[in-house]
Amino acid sequence: MANAYFEIREPENEPVNSYAPGTPERSALKDELERLKNETVEIPAIIGGEEVKTGNTEDVVMPHNHGHKLGTVHLCGEKEVKMAEEAALEARKKWADMPWEHRASVFKKAADLLSGPWRYTINAATMLGQSKTPHQSEIDAVAELVDFFRYNSYYLTQIYQDQPYSPDGMWNRSEYRPLEGFVFAVTPFNFTSIAGNLPTAPAICGNVALWKPATSSVYSSYFVMKLLEEAGLPKGVVNFIPGSGADVGNPVMNSENLSGLHFTGSTATFQHLWKQIANNIEKYKTYPRIVGETGGKDFIFAHKSSDVDALVVAALRAAYEYQGQKCSAASRIYIPESIWSEFSEQFLEEAQKIKMGDVEDFSTFMGAVIDQKAFDNITSYIDYAKEADDAEILLGGEYDDSEGYFVQPTLVRAHDPKFKTMEEEIFGPVLTVYVYEDAKFEETLELCDTTSPYALTGSIFAQDRDALKHMSDYLRQAAGNFYINDKPTAAVVNQQPFGGARKSGTNDKAGSAANLMRWLSVRSIKESTVPPKDWTYPYMGDE
């Protein structure tokens, strides 16, 4: 134990490289893309710091060129889950007792490695494996993950400093203990930063984790795991176990040592896991902490006083960046009749300029959707809109999976505010617009609030301050991340902590100290410096 108070200064957000023509980072990233795509990586499970090859393998391909094989991943099952649990619990004996500054040092080093020598590797892996453009990969796989590592370390010190009042004669203290058992981290395909954060946020607090990455993005997740190893993360603290949901999830849910679930993914999967925990509640040694972020049907609501130029840019970026595969992507927009003509003319003109294709071509704005399952689901909504009598496609509507899983940016105009694509999550580059009568502003606000079961992100546009206040108040519960005169995407760690309520999750705000508190169990300690020597109380005395 060091005899000093150690300080982690408040970080600053990681600068984002532009990758503009002529910049050194552009050349470095292109070189790394070329190197990685010409290699084939074998991706094992990593359990207790050791590679485990199960022999049950699956190819890893590029979404924008699914004939190109990036690697092979070994999928885990019940046997490997048991091995991972044993490794985690063994590692916990030392990790939970390790002084916090040594735990934080691992993740501060991981941040510096990612900001420096690992930057282009993680960036290129995300571009190739998840079909992200250089900008989308940079703000996710590098900047946001660096921020998670640095800010979570800082937040932990702020939590530790929160101590109770001590009157004379006693010393009261709060000890922030890691949870008993292990945390199960289930991560999504769409953000490398989330994949890295879900197992490591609990680990910074002294917990151990079993990490099940999405198989469709296992390529970049593997490189993140290797980065953590290079940063000095002790063996077994995070165990990397790729596999199908049931093959990995079922044995994890049945373990008496499950102490937490850190999840980002579909609503159906989250509800299934929650039900499993509820059904197994009597067997667990502790009540598992459940933290989850799921779906969204994110909105933009425009008032007649909106700045149309800003509204067009916000809608285009929010709906079509990363092919609409962000939890926060705009998928429904409400436009008043009085500005519809101006908005639609500008929006269609700008959206037709979007270039879609291979993300190694740095002039592209959109790549491919993640896999065949996503492609089939997204295009089923487009086909539904094509055949509907109460909707029309104003932009796009075409798709092709012959070489990559490409879906054109699509704009649907729904004449029914409860049209299917206004209500259901699509998770693709499909934006549905409902044009409302200016006089029906109030009832359209109600539609916006009640149409979807989700409440993740949303944005409002107006130049009229009274309208902004009214819209903000009316839609208070409609979004956990709420934007005024801006797009509803691109939350930044320590600036807009992320999470939604209703059916969008538990709103435990990744990118804030609130999330870390879910992975800590407080022990209140009272030490009496001058304890009483008489058991009686004054009221018991004689008259």
Side-chain angles (χ1 to χ4, degrees):
M1 182 69 68
N3 294 311
Y5 286 114
F6 298 109
E7 180 184 8
I8 295 179
R9 65 171 175 82
E10 184 172 359
E12 295 180 357
N13 291 108
E14 175 70 7
V16 174
N17 286 340
S18 71
Y19 298 98
T23 57
E25 65 263 21
R26 186 182 181 98
S27 297
L29 181 56
K30 282 181 173 287
D31 289 345
E32 189 66 359
L33 286 164
E34 190 67 23
R35 183 184 73 84
L36 287 184
K37 77 174 186 178
N38 286 305
E39 295 179 354
T40 303
V41 179
E42 186 176 17
I43 302 174
I46 299 177
I47 300 173
E50 304 298 326
E51 294 188 353
V52 175
K53 299 177 180 178
T54 65
N56 178 19
T57 61
E58 186 175 295
D59 287 345
V60 177
V61 301
M62 297 182 188
H64 48 277
N65 182 6
H66 49 62
H68 187 112
K69 181 178 174 180
L70 293 169
T72 303
V73 58
H74 289 261
L75 304 176
C76 297
E78 185 173 2
K79 175 185 175 183
E80 290 74 33
V81 169
K82 184 63 176 175
M83 292 168 58
E85 178 183 352
E86 291 173 354
L89 296 178
E90 182 63 29
R92 188 188 182 281
K93 295 175 183 177
K94 290 184 177 180
W95 183 247
D97 286 337
M98 183 174 286
W100 70 264
E101 67 271 16
H102 289 282
R103 296 199 310 268
S105 292
V106 171
F107 297 100
K108 285 173 64 63
K109 181 175 181 177
D112 290 347
L113 287 170
L114 179 52
S115 176
W118 277 76
R119 188 181 206 102
Y120 303 114
T121 298
I122 299 293
N123 216 334
T126 300
M127 289 178 66
L128 295 174
Q130 287 139 273
S131 201
K132 289 201 172 190
T133 63
H135 175 70
Q136 290 299 310
S137 181
E138 172 78 5
I139 62 176
D140 161 31
V142 177
E144 185 165 345
L145 187 50
V146 167
D147 286 349
F148 276 134
F149 290 156
R150 288 179 177 154
Y151 276 101
N152 282 344
S153 299
Y154 169 74
Y155 294 145
L156 188 66
T157 68
Q158 301 304 295
I159 291 171
Y160 285 169
Q161 290 176 27
D162 186 9
Q163 293 295 321
Y165 169 68
S166 295
D168 291 343
M170 68 182 71
W171 185 17
N172 296 318
R173 310 191 287 276
S174 289
E175 179 187 4
Y176 296 89
R177 306 167 298 177
L179 308 179
E180 292 186 278
F182 66 85
V183 174
F184 185 36
V186 181
T187 63
F189 78 82
N190 57 340
F191 282 95
T192 303
S193 56
I194 298 176
N197 182 55
L198 265 55
T200 59
I204 287 172
C205 298
N207 295 286
V208 291
L210 273 58
W211 174 18
K212 194 201 87 63
T215 307
S216 50
S217 63
V218 71
Y219 186 67
S220 62
S221 294
Y222 173 68
F223 284 103
V224 171
M225 186 67 198
K226 300 304 288 183
L227 165 70
L228 293 172
E229 289 185 326
E230 184 166 328
L233 186 68
K235 296 179 178 181
V237 171
V238 173
N239 297 276
F240 181 76
I241 48 173
S244 74
D247 290 346
V248 173
N250 288 345
V252 170
M253 292 296 108
N254 283 322
S255 170
E256 65 179 3
N257 294 304
L258 177 69
S259 61
L261 170 65
H262 205 186
F263 177 93
T264 297
S266 75
T267 302
T269 300
F270 187 54
Q271 291 180 352
H272 173 71
L273 293 174
W274 196 310
K275 287 178 182 177
Q276 285 187 294
I277 290 172
N279 289 335
N280 290 330
I281 201 69
E282 292 181 352
K283 77 167 52 174
Y284 299 131
K285 293 180 179 178
T286 185
Y287 293 108
R289 304 283 178 89
I290 301 176
V291 174
E293 189 256 295
T294 63
K297 190 64 182 174
D298 309 304
F299 62 85
I300 298 174
F301 195 103
H303 181 258
K304 64 183 179 181
S305 67
S306 297
D307 179 334
V308 174
D309 293 342
L311 180 62
V312 166
V313 170
L316 187 149
R317 284 182 166 178
Y320 302 139
E321 281 185 319
Y322 192 43
Q323 298 77 264
Q325 296 176 120
K326 298 182 180 183
C327 313
S328 55
S331 58
R332 55 186 171 123
I333 182 169
Y334 300 84
I335 304 285
E337 278 185 335
S338 57
I339 65 170
W340 166 242
S341 179
E342 182 183 1
F343 172 85
S344 61
E345 181 179 347
Q346 289 189 36
F347 186 88
L348 294 175
E349 180 181 354
E350 293 302 317
Q352 287 168 0
K353 299 175 184 177
I354 291 174
K355 182 177 180 180
M356 179 176 65
D358 189 332
V359 293
E360 291 181 71
D361 176 356
F362 282 22
S363 66
T364 59
F365 183 80
M366 286 175 56
V369 299
I370 192 66
D371 57 20
Q372 188 71 57
K373 182 179 178 182
F375 178 88
D376 292 343
N377 180 64
I378 296 163
T379 57
S380 71
Y381 282 96
I382 293 173
D383 290 343
Y384 181 88
K386 286 179 178 178
E387 297 170 4
D389 295 330
D390 49 356
E392 57 186 313
I393 292 180
L394 304 180
L395 172 76
E398 301 302 318
Y399 45 84
D400 183 1
D401 63 352
S402 58
E403 181 177 347
Y405 304 112
F406 291 107
V407 180
Q408 286 185 353
T410 298
L411 179 67
V412 177
R413 180 174 179 180
H415 301 287
D416 176 1
K418 294 297 184 77
F419 186 70
K420 184 176 182 177
T421 62
M422 288 291 289
E423 290 189 322
E424 298 181 14
E425 184 180 38
I426 302 173
F427 224 64
V430 180
L431 176 65
T432 303
V433 59
Y434 176 68
V435 181
Y436 68 91
E437 297 176 26
D438 290 42
K440 294 185 177 180
F441 175 65
E442 287 293 322
E443 58 190 84
T444 309
L445 276 175
E446 182 181 4
L447 279 170
C448 181
D449 187 40
T450 59
T451 291
S452 165
Y454 300 110
L456 188 53
T457 76
S459 71
I460 57 174
F461 275 79
Q463 295 301 300
D464 182 323
R465 178 53 58 175
D466 288 333
L468 284 175
K469 178 189 181 301
H470 180 66
M471 294 157 73
S472 180
D473 290 346
Y474 199 105
L475 298 172
R476 177 171 282 115
Q477 300 297 332
N481 278 55
F482 193 76
Y483 299 80
I484 299 174
N485 290 326
D486 202 351
K487 60 187 173 67
T489 62
V492 176
V493 173
N494 200 51
Q495 294 187 33
Q496 301 93 26
F498 192 78
R502 294 180 179 169
K503 287 298 197 298
S504 288
T506 58
N507 202 18
D508 287 294
K509 294 301 184 194
S512 76
N515 182 272
L516 291 196
M517 277 301 302
R518 297 305 311 276
W519 313 117
L520 294 164
S521 178
V522 182
R523 180 168 73 149
S524 295
I525 301 170
K526 173 187 176 183
E527 179 179 349
S528 292
T529 53
V530 184
K533 301 294 180 69
D534 182 357
W535 63 270
T536 64
Y537 294 96
Y539 79 88
M540 299 168 64
D542 294 334
E543 292 291 343

